[in-house]
Amino acid sequence: MGYGLLAAAIAAEVAATSAMKYSEGFTRLWPSLVTVVGYVIAFALLAQTLKTISIGTAYAIWAGVGTAAIAAIGMVFMNESPAPAKLLGIALVIAGVVVLNLGGAH
């Protein structure tokens, strides 16, 4: 259940961050509301996740997967360049999350 809540927290954070791009500095109402509500949901779900998953593991996964997802969304949907360094960085983030789960998630 903890990892399901964590996945939902990540999805809410990614949606909020994506909406922030379209809020134009919080000058557009609907993207701004999606951003605020998304972050509230993300933190509420992350708080629930911490009841069953250690804080270090949960936060590392939340931040790492969220960062990789936003970078991928930027490249696919927002015309950001898929530079080799960016792709390597995403791969390293994913590798770090896998190693964390294999070795440190007790």
Side-chain angles (χ1 to χ4, degrees):
M1 171 115 165
Y3 285 100
L5 289 172
L6 183 56
I10 292 166
E13 188 261 338
V14 167
T17 303
S18 298
M20 189 184 304
K21 166 77 173 165
Y22 297 106
S23 74
E24 297 180 12
F26 293 111
T27 61
R28 296 182 62 216
L29 177 63
W30 293 110
S32 299
L33 286 176
V34 170
T35 299
V36 171
V37 170
Y39 278 117
V40 168
I41 292 169
F43 281 107
L45 291 170
L46 182 60
Q48 293 302 309
T49 298
L50 297 179
K51 291 180 179 179
T52 58
I53 300 174
S54 70
I55 190 168
T57 300
Y59 187 76
I61 293 169
W62 183 65
V65 173
T67 300
I70 287 297
I73 287 168
M75 287 184 288
V76 173
F77 298 108
M78 298 177 185
N79 298 321
E80 294 180 5
S81 68
K86 189 180 289 187
L87 296 173
L88 176 62
I90 292 171
L92 289 171
V93 166
I94 293 168
V97 169
V98 169
V99 169
L100 185 74
N101 278 299
L102 291 176
H106 296 358

